[in-house]
């Protein structure tokens, strides 16, 4: 099953997304992040983005579809601002932007043009282009889930090795590399309860190992 988040203010376009997924016989579950919550134009980008990041962190959605223009109290909110907030925290999370004016979001320096889809094409589910768009989105969600789980598993194994074999520079560096990779797929944070070492501890441990190595080298010379 694909768990897809929707940021859209139009019930008609939400229905179009659902009809297209039904047409492709996709097993999906929707989470709606606009119609069921109360926001103001001043706080919608920050609060909505934060809420979605928590949902991603809790494994509640695998991908996100955002309308480029959302109207709230007669004020237009650009969906790419929500994209940017989430992308800065979890850059590998699958997100697509729906718009009729493709050039507008593509012109943003932080936008990936491959993530911007024209609505009329996206909803034309009998066309080959629409099928290709959805297929790409599904594959991106598959890759995201697979890579995230792989990095989680590898990281847990290295942490177990650190506990069973003691602190070794090679193991610590491998943990740092794996945490850096995992941070592209989820917001691991230094205060995460399942994080064995925070960045300060890692830095101190590596410096201590270097100092010991230098003392040994000095004694040998």
């Amino acid at each position: 099953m694909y768990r897809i988040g929707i940021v859209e203010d139009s019930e008609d376009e939400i229905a179009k997304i659902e009809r297209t997924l039904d047409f492709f016989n996709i097993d999906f579950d929707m989470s709606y992040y606009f119609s069921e919550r109360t926001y103001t134009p001043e706080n919608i980008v920050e609060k909505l983005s934060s809420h979605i990041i928590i949902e991603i962190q809790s494994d509640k959605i695998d991908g996100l579809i955002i309308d480029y223009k959302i109207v709230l109290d007669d004020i237009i909110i650009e969906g790419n601002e929500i994209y940017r907030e989430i992308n800065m925290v979890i850059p590998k999370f699958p997100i697509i932007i729906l718009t009729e004016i493709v050039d507008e979001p593509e012109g943003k320096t932080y936008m990936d043009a491959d993530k911007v889809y024209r609505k009329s094409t996206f909803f034309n589910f009998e066309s080959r282009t629409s099928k290709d768009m959805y297929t790409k989105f599904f594959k991106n969600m598959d890759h995201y889930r697979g890579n995230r789980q792989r990095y989680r598993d590898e990281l847990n194994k290295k942490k177990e090795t650190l506990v069973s074999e003691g602190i070794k520079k090679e193991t610590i560096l491998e943990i740092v590399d794996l945490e850096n990779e995992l941070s592209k797929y989820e917001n691991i944070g230094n205060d995460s309860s399942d994080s064995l070492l925070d960045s300060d501890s890692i830095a101190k441990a590596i410096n201590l190992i270097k100092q010991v190595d230098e003392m040994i080298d000095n004694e040998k010379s």
Side-chain angles (χ1 to χ4, degrees):
M1 174 184 288
Y2 294 97
R3 300 164 302 175
I4 302 171
I6 305 293
V7 180
E8 171 61 74
D9 61 338
S10 168
E11 293 294 333
D12 289 341
E13 295 198 347
I14 289 174
K16 289 180 182 178
I17 295 172
E18 293 175 343
R19 282 198 298 269
T20 307
L21 291 170
D22 284 333
F23 177 82
F24 290 129
N25 294 317
I26 298 301
D27 186 13
F28 67 92
D29 181 59
M30 293 286 200
S31 295
Y32 305 99
Y33 295 115
F34 183 78
S35 58
E36 297 179 359
R37 297 183 66 85
T38 302
Y39 299 103
T40 67
E42 293 76 23
N43 70 21
I44 183 172
V45 172
E46 179 184 355
K47 288 197 172 183
L48 183 54
S49 301
S50 298
H51 176 61
I52 293 173
I53 288 171
I54 292 172
E55 295 279 281
I56 296 170
Q57 190 68 14
S58 301
D59 291 345
K60 292 184 177 179
I61 57 173
D62 308 309
L64 189 65
I65 299 175
I66 306 176
D67 190 356
Y68 177 60
K69 288 187 177 179
I70 303 166
V71 180
L72 180 63
D73 296 339
D74 296 325
I75 295 176
I76 295 176
I77 310 297
E78 292 190 356
N80 58 286
E81 296 293 333
I82 297 170
Y83 164 88
R84 180 173 63 177
E85 293 296 316
I86 297 171
N87 186 253
M88 285 193 301
V89 179
I90 310 176
K92 293 293 186 179
F93 188 74
I95 302 175
I96 57 176
I97 303 288
L98 295 183
T99 179
E100 278 301 347
I101 308 174
V102 175
D103 291 342
E104 284 190 26
E106 283 185 353
K108 307 294 183 180
T109 57
Y110 50 83
M111 279 299 306
D112 183 349
D114 288 339
K115 300 184 186 305
V116 181
Y117 292 170
R118 189 182 298 277
K119 287 183 179 181
S120 57
T121 305
F122 192 70
F123 294 142
N124 185 15
F125 51 77
E126 293 184 341
S127 72
R128 179 67 190 182
T129 304
S130 175
K131 183 177 180 180
D132 289 343
M133 287 177 170
Y134 276 91
T135 299
K136 182 178 180 180
F137 186 43
F138 301 146
K139 286 184 176 179
N140 286 341
M141 287 190 283
D142 288 336
H143 292 158
Y144 168 78
R145 292 190 296 194
N147 288 334
R148 180 186 59 187
Q149 191 59 51
R150 177 168 61 86
Y151 285 124
R152 283 176 175 175
D153 292 342
E154 291 180 4
L155 181 59
N156 286 334
K157 288 180 181 178
K158 289 300 176 183
K159 288 180 177 180
E160 290 172 1
T161 299
L162 194 66
V163 172
S164 62
E165 298 181 5
I167 294 178
K168 295 181 180 179
K169 180 167 63 176
E170 293 79 7
T171 306
I172 292 175
L173 293 176
E174 288 173 345
I175 288 175
V176 172
D177 288 340
L178 287 170
E179 286 192 339
N180 286 338
E181 289 300 319
L182 183 58
S183 68
K184 299 173 185 177
Y185 294 86
E186 63 182 31
N187 183 25
I188 59 175
N190 288 336
D191 58 349
S192 175
S193 60
D194 61 355
S195 179
L196 182 64
L197 297 173
D198 59 27
S199 58
D200 289 339
S201 298
I202 291 172
K204 290 177 182 178
I206 292 175
N207 286 333
L208 180 59
I209 291 171
K210 287 180 179 179
Q211 292 175 15
V212 172
D213 288 342
E214 289 175 359
M215 290 174 60
I216 294 173
D217 290 338
N218 290 335
E219 290 179 358
K220 291 180 179 178
S221 61

